[in-house]
Amino acid sequence: MDFKNQSINALTNHTFHCECGKDHLAAIKAIEIGKGVLNKLPAILKKQTKKDGSPLSTQDTVLLVADKNTWKIAGDEVDALVSRAGFQTRQYIFDIDKMHAEDRYVTVVRDQIDDTTALVIAIGSGTINDICRYATFKEGIPYYIIGTAPSMDGYASSVSPLITHNIKKTFSAVCPEVIIGDTDLLATAPDIMIAAGFGDIIGKYLAINDWKISRIINAEYYCPDVADLVLETVQKCVNAVPGLAKRDPQALQYLMESLVLSGIAISFVGYSRPASGSEHHISHFLEMSAVFDGQYGQLHGSCVGMATCLISSMYQQLLEKPWDYARARRHAESFDYTAWESETNRVFGKASDAVITLYGKTHQNDPLNVLARIDQIEKNEEAIRHLIQNVVDQTARTPEYLKTLGGLTDPNAFIAGGERFRDILLHAKDLRDRYAALQMFYDLDELDGLVDSIIQQYYQ
Ligand SMILES: [Zn+2]
Ligand SMILES: [Zn+2]
């Protein structure tokens, strides 16, 4: 199935029977991205139905949810458009400056939804979208998202990562029925948010590469068409960097489309493999650390962008070394579970139970598993080196792109101490059940050396 030449709307609400063996579906009714598209809202609302299938009536209320910053960008305009379409509106505006998606805010939104509320329109980016997605899923009503910044790839997602009891957990929910990305609004986003969105996108080169490598080493399911769909949209964003720096509407449209397409690719395969690899494992760890320390931390996409710079550089160094399989096998056999467990407790703190439970399912460092993977790596070294060379070519200029956009490339902006950052790089691979670059570095007994060189480069 060639997805590359389809419009974004042609990819949704339709089941594709693919040669990979899966049926691909992304259940989003409408996606409008471009200059001035917010004005299409009244026409879209006229086609909207309620949860019982009946059309929205003038008796129904549309609840508009924003925070005080995102309301300023589009709140009054959305309110006027919904009213013009003949529906009642009610507003809920979070009076908080820097908010995370926390379960207590989901409760706040749910309390605003009553019997007359037929639809929620979320106005914002990551946080407001995640909160409204889960609140409306729980209340069984539809929601739209009006994007205010091209900062992350969660617009089309069907899951909400929420902070509950200081831990970030991912909850299943539903996709929005409508996504609106008006480039006139997106152009008002601060530099750091646009750079973050670009960081989340350029990291997909690594994510797709991880997927290809895991297919070789672990015979993991892989869909070449979904991978190509993602790669093509990432390439468009890379070409659009000069335009993004000038907030050119066409460039912003490519970035927003790419962020939405990433979510569609995830829906297509049913898990986040096409959009998330080792760069995201580092990012999740950084975000989790900030929450533990009671800090806001940096934006998700900023974490992904910085991590992409580091993994790209680690891959570059890996290519320059001969891979010593005898040493890798000795290292695999020397794994000591008790020592690993005590390190995990030290490094992950409050999240260590979850990491240890996950290990009970995946056994990623157990010698037999690592030795089996080493065999596969040795057998396929040429093909794997070829993939790595390709991804290094794709990502080597990431620091330059991020700097052009006003983004962050230095881990010091995320973690103050080199020792803490070393822990994060060494252990991030144990956070998720997914084979990716950092685990392959471990398998080859190169992880410690590559991490050392990063720490030396940035912290000494
Ligand atoms: Zn497929
Ligand atoms: Zn992401």
Side-chain angles (χ1 to χ4, degrees):
M1 188 65 58
D2 181 13
F3 299 121
K4 292 193 305 265
N5 299 316
Q6 310 259 14
S7 76
I8 198 162
N9 268 303
L11 292 173
T12 56
N13 254 339
H14 175 85
T15 302
F16 297 94
H17 306 289
C18 183
E19 282 143 35
C20 74
K22 254 187 211 229
D23 286 346
H24 299 308
L25 170 69
I28 301 170
K29 286 202 180 125
I31 298 170
E32 294 293 346
I33 299 172
K35 192 166 167 50
V37 293
L38 185 57
N39 291 317
K40 295 187 178 177
L41 184 58
I44 293 170
L45 281 168
K46 293 213 165 107
K47 285 189 254 162
Q48 181 62 43
T49 51
K50 294 194 274 190
K51 60 180 170 185
D52 62 6
S54 64
L56 223 57
S57 83
T58 48
Q59 307 304 311
D60 295 314
T61 303
V62 177
L63 175 66
L64 311 178
V65 180
D67 67 36
K68 59 182 185 182
N69 297 317
T70 60
W71 184 268
K72 274 185 226 152
I73 298 169
D76 290 332
E77 204 177 341
V78 172
D79 197 329
L81 287 165
V82 177
S83 303
R84 198 193 303 162
F87 306 107
Q88 326 260 352
T89 62
R90 205 145 38 79
Q91 310 170 353
Y92 187 82
I93 304 166
F94 284 98
D95 189 19
I96 303 171
D97 230 338
K98 278 185 160 184
M99 58 191 284
H100 276 299
E102 296 186 39
D103 59 350
R104 58 192 167 126
Y105 302 140
V106 172
T107 309
V108 170
V109 173
R110 290 185 68 180
D111 286 346
Q112 295 292 318
I113 297 172
D114 60 20
D115 292 343
T116 68
T117 316
L119 173 72
V120 169
I121 298 185
I123 303 161
S125 57
T127 303
I128 292 293
N129 189 33
D130 284 333
I131 292 168
C132 291
R133 170 188 295 120
Y134 199 58
T136 54
F137 167 69
K138 281 290 183 187
E139 297 296 328
I141 62 170
Y143 91 101
Y144 295 3
I145 173 74
I146 315 273
T148 54
S151 57
M152 51 88 227
D153 70 356
Y155 283 113
S157 166
S158 64
V159 299
S160 276
L162 297 171
I163 296 167
T164 40
H165 307 294
N166 290 317
I167 292 191
K168 198 167 183 170
K169 279 192 182 169
T170 299
F171 295 88
S172 292
V174 285
C175 297
E177 295 214 352
V178 173
I179 299 171
I180 294 181
D182 188 325
T183 53
D184 290 337
L185 304 179
L186 302 176
T188 68
D191 286 350
I192 193 75
M193 293 188 93
I194 293 175
F198 180 81
D200 209 2
I201 289 302
I202 195 149
K204 310 299 180 225
Y205 278 136
L206 294 172
I208 295 290
N209 184 66
D210 281 336
W211 196 13
K212 289 179 176 174
I213 286 181
S214 183
R215 175 202 195 190
I216 294 177
I217 299 176
N218 304 303
E220 184 178 329
Y221 159 81
Y222 173 78
C223 175
D225 298 319
V226 171
D228 283 352
L229 172 71
V230 174
L231 291 173
E232 178 170 273
T233 181
V234 176
Q235 189 59 49
K236 264 187 175 177
C237 289
V238 168
N239 297 342
V241 166
L244 282 173
K246 290 185 293 192
R247 286 177 166 61
D248 167 59
Q250 183 65 61
L252 287 166
Q253 181 175 332
Y254 286 149
L255 178 56
M256 186 67 178
E257 282 178 352
S258 191
L259 292 164
V260 172
L261 274 170
S262 301
I264 291 174
I266 294 172
S267 290
F268 274 3
V269 302
Y271 62 137
S272 63
R273 184 50 122 166
S276 162
S278 270
E279 72 299 329
H280 272 74
H281 299 167
I282 294 171
S283 159
H284 292 314
F285 205 159
L286 289 169
E287 291 163 59
M288 208 172 70
S289 285
V291 171
F292 285 165
D293 298 342
Q295 292 168 356
Y296 182 73
Q298 301 286 2
L299 293 167
H300 165 77
S302 298
C303 298
V304 175
M306 181 275 289
T308 299
C309 300
L310 301 191
I311 301 230
S312 177
S313 146
M314 288 159 110
Y315 264 142
Q316 171 79 60
Q317 294 175 50
L318 187 70
L319 280 180
E320 289 159 9
K321 299 167 191 252
W323 298 352
D324 183 341
Y325 295 102
R327 196 187 79 211
R329 289 189 174 98
R330 283 198 301 278
H331 170 256
E333 280 160 357
S334 71
F335 176 68
D336 173 350
Y337 179 80
T338 313
W340 177 85
E341 196 177 18
S342 94
E343 272 293 273
T344 297
N345 280 318
R346 179 182 70 78
V347 172
F348 287 96
K350 285 183 243 179
S352 59
D353 282 354
V355 176
I356 290 167
T357 305
L358 179 65
Y359 190 90
K361 290 183 213 153
T362 57
H363 303 281
Q364 67 269 26
N365 304 328
D366 281 17
L368 286 180
N369 293 336
V370 180
L371 290 169
R373 292 198 299 263
I374 293 172
D375 289 348
Q376 288 306 313
I377 297 173
E378 188 170 23
K379 224 186 278 172
N380 297 286
E381 178 172 333
E382 204 186 318
I384 294 171
R385 277 187 181 269
H386 183 74
L387 287 175
I388 295 175
Q389 183 61 60
N390 187 41
V391 83
V392 165
D393 293 344
Q394 288 165 327
T395 53
R397 292 176 68 190
T398 306
E400 178 193 326
Y401 299 142
L402 288 173
K403 281 177 191 154
T404 303
L405 298 174
L408 303 171
T409 58
D410 185 331
N412 282 284
F414 298 76
I415 294 287
E419 284 315 301
R420 178 62 185 155
F421 195 61
R422 181 198 304 276
D423 283 343
I424 289 176
L425 292 180
L426 287 176
H427 296 270
K429 70 184 187 57
D430 295 327
L431 256 180
R432 290 283 191 278
D433 173 15
R434 175 160 303 167
Y435 193 78
L438 294 168
Q439 183 71 46
M440 191 180 72
F441 300 160
Y442 171 93
D443 290 352
L444 286 168
D445 190 27
E446 294 291 351
L447 182 61
D448 289 81
L450 291 170
V451 169
D452 275 346
S453 97
I454 295 287
I455 299 299
Q456 257 176 22
Q457 185 184 343
Y458 288 99
Y459 288 94
Q460 275 148 26

